[in-house]
């Protein structure tokens, strides 16, 4: 957890670890898919939009995300990067201020989701969307505006509070944890569409699931730990590979293309982890 990393490291060590953990693998993967996609051959090249992708701030610009993102999932990295910046501030007060942060995050996330759903923030990005397409695609508006960091803030703060108050949360009965997860899953159909999304209720369900996972006994499985190690690389490469196999091979190969796609994702992710991730993580630890 990022809160734990920020607590056990000084600021310099924390920053170096985050930079070497996230960016080398991201840059390699981005270039791996951007070069064949002709990202650098645009007649109206916008280097600012390209740069925002390089520094993982693409969600802040419609053009950067829509015209220059080739991995299709990296808008979440902007949200994550903002949390990396806020996390050291969050842990300054340690547990003493954690509940106040939690309360503030409920208010901020709920208000942002509500006003975004009403279209109050659309004007901020209207010109940028108009330069790309008109009208803006609702899905793209949802990614850039409705799912911006303020809407997601509760999820991160609640995770941090679980870390600070783990002794309390780990004492909660398994029955109550299971009931919370099941109830919120069953209620999705009730509050989805009636309440703004994202909503902190989903975060409570995910938090309950996190507690259940954290206090589960260590697995003896050999595959799951490996998947955990390469999960970041899987995250980076899975979408473009799925799109490639769906477009090129779904017709002639049918369902076999799905299996080939998953196998390719696993192989490519392992290669990136071994050649890029692991080496730069070690270098970051050495430099710090």
């Amino acid at each position: 957890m990022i809160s734990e990393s920020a607590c056990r490291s000084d600021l310099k060590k924390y920053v170096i670890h985050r930079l070497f953990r996230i960016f080398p693998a991201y840059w390699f993967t981005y270039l791996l898919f951007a070069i064949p996609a002709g990202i650098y051959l645009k007649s109206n090249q916008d280097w600012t939009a390209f740069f925002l992708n390089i520094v993982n701030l693409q969600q802040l610009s419609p053009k950067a995300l829509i015209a220059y993102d080739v991995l299709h999932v990296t808008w979440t990295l902007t949200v994550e990067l903002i949390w990396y910046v806020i996390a050291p501030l969050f842990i300054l007060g340690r547990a003493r201020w954690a509940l106040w942060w939690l309360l503030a995050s409920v208010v901020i996330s709920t208000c942002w989701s509500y006003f975004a759903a009403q279209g109050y923030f659309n004007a901020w990005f209207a010109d940028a969307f108009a330069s790309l397409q008109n009208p803006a695609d609702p899905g793209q508006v949802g990614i850039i505006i409705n799912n911006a960091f303020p809407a997601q803030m509760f999820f991160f703060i609640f995770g941090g509070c679980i870390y600070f108050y783990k002794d309390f949360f780990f004492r909660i009965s398994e029955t109550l944890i299971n009931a919370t997860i099941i109830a919120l899953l069953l209620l999705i159909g009730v509050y989805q569409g009636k309440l703004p999304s994202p909503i902190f209720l989903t975060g409570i369900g995910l938090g309950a699931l996190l507690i259940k996972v954290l206090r589960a006994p260590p697995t003896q499985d050999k595959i799951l730990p490996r998947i955990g190690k390469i999960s970041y690389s899987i995250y980076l490469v899975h979408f473009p590979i799925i799109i490639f196999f769906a477009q090129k091979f779904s017709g002639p190969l049918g369902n076999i293309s799905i299996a080939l796609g998953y196998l390719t994702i696993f192989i490519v992710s392992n290669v990136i982890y071994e050649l890029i991730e692991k080496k730069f993580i070690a270098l970051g630890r050495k430099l710090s």
Side-chain angles (χ1 to χ4, degrees), residues 1-267:
M1 294 177 66
I2 301 304
S3 297
E4 183 179 8
S5 176
C7 280
R8 67 171 182 242
S9 307
D10 58 48
L11 185 59
K12 177 185 175 183
K13 186 176 181 180
Y14 168 79
V15 170
I16 291 175
H17 282 187
R18 290 297 94 204
L19 290 176
F20 280 80
R21 177 68 181 88
I22 295 299
F23 282 101
Y26 170 69
W27 288 335
F28 176 84
T29 309
Y30 182 78
L31 295 175
L32 181 67
F33 291 98
I35 292 174
I39 255 341
Y40 312 108
L41 303 177
K42 295 176 178 289
S43 58
N44 57 339
Q45 187 71 281
D46 187 331
W47 291 106
T48 300
F50 171 75
F51 176 76
L52 287 174
N53 276 276
I54 292 298
V55 296
N56 271 335
L57 294 177
Q58 56 271 57
Q59 193 202 25
L60 304 182
S61 164
K63 187 170 187 179
L65 188 65
I66 297 168
Y68 285 84
D69 176 32
V70 294
L71 302 182
H72 306 288
V73 295
T74 53
W75 65 270
T76 60
L77 292 179
T78 301
V79 174
E80 188 172 347
L81 190 64
I82 294 173
W83 169 239
Y84 289 167
V85 174
I86 292 177
L89 300 176
F90 171 66
I91 62 100
L92 278 178
R94 305 286 173 167
R96 181 176 52 179
W97 298 106
L99 292 180
W100 289 105
W101 274 86
L102 184 65
L103 179 61
S105 71
V106 171
V107 175
I108 292 170
S109 294
T110 304
C111 288
W112 182 277
S113 293
Y114 172 78
F115 288 118
Q118 302 303 312
Y120 283 94
F121 305 131
N122 289 12
W124 296 358
F125 299 93
D127 291 341
F129 275 118
S131 69
L132 291 166
Q133 56 186 27
N134 194 14
D137 181 88
Q140 294 166 349
V141 171
I143 289 174
I144 293 171
I145 301 176
N146 297 54
N147 285 286
F149 178 79
Q152 311 282 348
M153 186 176 177
F154 172 79
F155 298 87
F156 293 98
I157 297 299
F158 188 40
C161 287
I162 290 174
Y163 168 70
F164 282 135
Y165 295 100
K166 54 182 174 289
D167 290 341
F168 166 77
F169 284 108
F170 283 16
R171 288 198 301 268
I172 298 175
S173 71
E174 192 74 9
T175 301
L176 182 57
I177 292 293
N178 292 336
T180 301
I181 296 171
I182 294 170
L184 289 172
L185 282 174
L186 294 176
L187 288 172
I188 285 179
V190 176
Y191 67 79
Q192 196 172 44
K194 298 179 181 179
L195 296 175
S197 180
I199 188 68
F200 66 89
L201 291 175
T202 308
I204 293 174
L206 290 172
L209 183 59
L210 175 63
I211 295 168
K212 187 175 180 66
V213 170
L214 288 176
R215 64 186 188 185
T219 179
Q220 302 300 315
D221 190 282
K222 302 297 182 183
I223 297 177
L224 289 178
R226 183 63 185 180
I227 292 176
K229 285 186 176 181
I230 66 172
S231 59
Y232 179 50
S233 291
I234 290 176
Y235 165 79
L236 291 174
V237 306
H238 79 278
F239 208 97
I241 291 177
I242 289 173
I243 291 175
F244 175 78
F245 274 86
Q247 292 177 343
K248 299 293 184 181
F249 302 109
S250 60
L253 295 179
N255 290 335
I256 297 177
S257 67
I258 298 175
L260 289 174
Y262 286 138
L263 179 61
T264 303
I265 290 169
F266 186 75
I267 293 172

